[in-house]
Amino acid sequence: MTVPPVLPEERLAATLARLILDPSLPPVRHAAVGAASPIPAAACWLAAKQGHPIRLSLLHRRRGNPFTEGSRELFDLAGQGRIDLFFLGGGQIDGQANLNLIGTGDWPGTTVRFPGSFGSAYLYFMVPRTLLFREEHSPRVLVPRVEHVSAPGVSEPGVFRRGTAQALVTGRCVFRFDAARGRFALVSLHPGETVESVRAATGFDYDEPAQVPRTPDPTPEELALLRGPVAAELRETYPAFCARIFDRTPEGVPAA
């Protein structure tokens, strides 16, 4: 039986799941995923289906989270240290892991409007581990300095915060973040990318080792979980995503 080829979205989900399960960091017991985040949600479900006791809260669906009063309870749990991992992106992300979810141009960012910062700054401070995720990897997203800081990547000494960014995963590569230095380092390249193509598409400076490995494809076991139990968990919340990614012919064409 022919197996459909690996899609970039499946590779990204497996990559995020491995970062979630990083053995050098405290285990994730409770992860929260915001609106319109099917790939981070798939990563959390993949980690859970591999036998890790991860509780996942999908914040924008009543049946997908345990909250009765919406985001207020999410913020309460984060303040109590009861959420271990969150995902954040940004209209702009810079080399110090600062995020801009406000917009570009003169304050309040009226040239181009982004979705809004909502609780990003609070969660960036209160949640021990944050994975930054943005599929688009271009100089307009990864900038030398964000135009407006809606959530800072690092803080001055004496400022209380539980955690910072762990990594930045994009459609081209994976960066790790060193909070002590306030700087990213390139750790892997997705298929088809080179150190030159990533450098050209990145507006901020970063560290680069002499040899940069390729981002691993999902294992057969990970693919089986993604296309089976994980897809079943995601289907109610992200039906269009599941139809595009998981409902395919063996040749990789979306099923009718």
Side-chain angles (χ1 to χ4, degrees), residues 12-179:
L12 290 172
T15 299
L16 288 170
R18 294 179 194 128
L19 289 167
I20 293 169
L21 299 175
D22 186 337
S24 69
L25 296 173
V28 174
R29 300 156 299 176
H30 187 179
V33 175
S37 300
I39 295 175
C44 291
W45 278 121
L46 176 57
K49 298 300 182 183
Q50 289 174 304
H52 301 275
I54 296 175
R55 173 184 174 189
L56 173 60
S57 292
L58 300 173
L59 305 181
H60 60 299
R61 294 285 294 206
R62 179 171 296 276
R63 292 180 60 182
N65 71 72
F67 308 133
T68 57
E69 296 187 35
S71 299
R72 186 170 74 176
E73 290 180 275
L74 165 67
F75 297 153
D76 286 345
L77 287 175
Q80 296 165 24
R82 295 167 62 190
I83 294 180
D84 305 300
L85 177 74
F86 195 65
F87 295 85
L88 284 174
Q92 292 179 328
I93 303 170
D94 69 24
Q96 286 194 307
N98 296 314
L99 309 179
N100 178 6
L101 285 159
I102 298 169
T104 64
D106 293 338
W107 179 260
T110 55
T111 302
V112 176
R113 293 294 292 167
F114 297 150
S117 56
F118 191 48
S120 59
Y122 177 80
L123 294 171
Y124 214 178
F125 277 68
M126 292 294 101
V127 176
R129 293 169 59 184
T130 298
L131 286 174
L132 303 181
F133 176 70
R134 183 67 198 266
E135 284 186 86
E136 181 182 343
H137 184 143
S138 70
R140 76 167 189 166
V141 173
L142 305 185
V143 296
R145 178 71 179 179
V146 297
E147 293 189 43
H148 305 290
V149 179
S150 56
V154 294
S155 299
E156 296 294 328
V159 175
F160 175 77
R161 65 184 300 166
R162 287 197 179 97
T164 58
Q166 173 188 347
L168 166 62
V169 178
T170 76
R172 294 179 183 268
C173 68
V174 179
F175 295 104
R176 285 279 191 164
F177 186 63
D178 184 339

Side-chain angles (χ1 to χ4, degrees), residues 232-249:
E233 296 283 1
L234 293 173
R235 199 168 295 279
E236 178 186 6
T237 307
Y238 305 105
F241 175 83
C242 288
R244 179 170 61 88
I245 302 303
F246 300 123
D247 300 339
R248 293 179 289 145
T249 67

